[in-house]
C-alpha cells in the first residue's frame, strides 16, 4: 500500500506542477489570499463514479485544511445533476487544484463507466472483462483501479508480474515450444505462463507446451469456438483483438474465460463533471 500511495502522490504532484508552474496568475490577481468558501462537485451525466480519493488528495496536496463531504462513493451509479461532494476551504487552493482534480476524476469515472458497460454485456456467460497495459503513461494505477471499480479485472500490472509470450518473443525464440521451455527454466513457478497465438495450430502447440493461459489474438468467432473446444479446460482461454461493445457479447458466448479490452483505458470518454463555487454574497 505504501508503494501505491507513493506512486499516486507522485503522479498528483507531477500533474499539479505541470499546470501551476510558478503560480496561478489569474487567481493571485483576483482573490484575496485568505478568502475561503464552498464548492460543489456536480455530475453532468450518468456514470459510474471512480477516483474520489484521488480528487480529494489533489486539493490536499495544495492545502491540507480543505474539508470534503462526500454524497457518493466510488463504484456507485450516479445521475446527471447529482451533487457528488461538497468542499470547503481556501478558494485559492480550490481554484488552483480544480482542473487537475477534475482531470483525474473525469478520466477514472469514464474508464469505470465504460468497463461497467462491457461487464453488463457479458453477464450470463463465463467470460470476465480484463484491461491491458494500454494505459496513460504514469497513470496506470489510476486506470487499473478505475477498471476494477467498474466491475472488470486487471490483467498483469506491468512486465514484471506475469509471463506473456507474444509474437515477437516467439519469433525471437524460434517457436512457441522453445519460448515456453526457456520461460519454464528461468521464472518462478508462482508466475502464470501465457502464450499469444493467432490460429488453431498455435493453440495445439501451446497446449503441447503446457501453458497456463492461451491468448487468442484477433481470431474470428468460429475459430474462437473451435479453440475453446480444443483446449477443453486444459488451460484458461483469453480472447483479444477486435473487441467492442458490439462484438463482446458474441465473443463471450464462444466460451472463453477472459476477454481483454484495450479500449477500456486507451479510448474511454472522460465523464463530465463541473465544480461550482458558491457565489460570494454582497
Amino acid at each position: 500500500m505504501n508503494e501505491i500511495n507513493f506512486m499516486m502522490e507522485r503522479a498528483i504532484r507531477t500533474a499539479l506542477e505541470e499546470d501551476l508552474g510558478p503560480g496561478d496568475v489569474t487567481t493571485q490577481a483576483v482573490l484575496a489570499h485568505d478568502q475561503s468558501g464552498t464548492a460543489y462537485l456536480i455530475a453532468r451525466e450518468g456514470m459510474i463514479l471512480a477516483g474520489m480519493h484521488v480528487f480529494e488528495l489533489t486539493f490536499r496536496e495544495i492545502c491540507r485544511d480543505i474539508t470534503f463531504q462526500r454524497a457518493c462513493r466510488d463504484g456507485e451509479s450516479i445521475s446527471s445533476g447529482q451533487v457528488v461532494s461538497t468542499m470547503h476551504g481556501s478558494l485559492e487552493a480550490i481554484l488552483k487544484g480544480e482542473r487537475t482534480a477534475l482531470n483525474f476524476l473525469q478520466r477514472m469515472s469514464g474508464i469505470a463507466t465504460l468497463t461497467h458497460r462491457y461487464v453488463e454485456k457479458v453477464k450470463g456467460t463465463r467470460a470476465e472483462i480484463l484491461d491491458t497495459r494500454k494505459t496513460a503513461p504514469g497513470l496506470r494505477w489510476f486506470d487499473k483501479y478505475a477498471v476494477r471499480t467498474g466491475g472488470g479485472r486487471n490483467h498483469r500490472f506491468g512486465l514484471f508480474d506475469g509471463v506473456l509470450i507474444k509474437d515477437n518473443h516467439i519469433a525471437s525464440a524460434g517457436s512457441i515450444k522453445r519460448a515456453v521451455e526457456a520461460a519454464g527454466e528461468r521464472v518462478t513457478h508462482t508466475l502464470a505462463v501465457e502464450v499469444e497465438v493467432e490460429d488453431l495450430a498455435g493453440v495445439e502447440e501451446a497446449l503441447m507446451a503446457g501453458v497456463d493461459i492461451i491468448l487468442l489474438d484477433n481470431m474470428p468467432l468460429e475459430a474462437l469456438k473451435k479453440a475453446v473446444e480444443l483446449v477443453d479446460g486444459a488451460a484458461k482461454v483469453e480472447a483479444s483483438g477486435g473487441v467492442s461493445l458490439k462484438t463482446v457479447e458474441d465473443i463471450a458466448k464462444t466460451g472463453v474465460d477472459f476477454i481483454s479490452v484495450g479500449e477500456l483505458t486507451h479510448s474511454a470518454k472522460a465523464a463530465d463533471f463541473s465544480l461550482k463555487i458558491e457565489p460570494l454574497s454582497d
Side-chain angles (χ1 to χ4, degrees), residues 17-53:
E17 288 166 4
E18 176 183 64
D19 200 34
L20 283 170
D24 177 357
V25 295
T26 306
T27 297
Q28 290 168 352
V30 172
L31 263 69
H33 178 69
D34 60 352
Q35 193 171 343
S36 62
T38 299
Y40 303 94
L41 175 65
I42 304 166
R44 297 180 65 178
E45 63 180 346
M47 68 184 79
I48 302 298
L49 183 65
M52 284 303 297
H53 184 53

Side-chain angles (χ1 to χ4, degrees), residues 134-209:
K134 296 175 183 176
T135 55
L139 298 181
R140 184 163 294 173
W141 182 88
F142 301 87
D143 287 0
K144 284 184 171 284
Y145 169 82
V147 168
R148 296 195 306 274
T149 303
R153 283 186 56 186
N154 295 151
H155 210 297
R156 57 181 182 161
F157 187 87
L159 295 173
F160 54 86
D161 61 344
V163 177
L164 176 47
I165 300 170
K166 298 174 75 70
D167 54 351
N168 285 329
H169 298 109
I170 294 166
S172 300
S175 69
I176 291 174
K177 183 175 183 292
R178 289 179 184 174
V180 174
E181 286 177 349
E185 293 172 359
R186 297 170 185 167
V187 301
T188 173
H189 69 281
T190 60
L191 289 179
V193 175
E194 182 171 7
V195 172
E196 177 187 85
V197 302
E198 299 176 349
D199 51 35
L200 295 178
V203 173
E204 291 178 344
E205 191 176 352
L207 281 172
M208 291 291 291

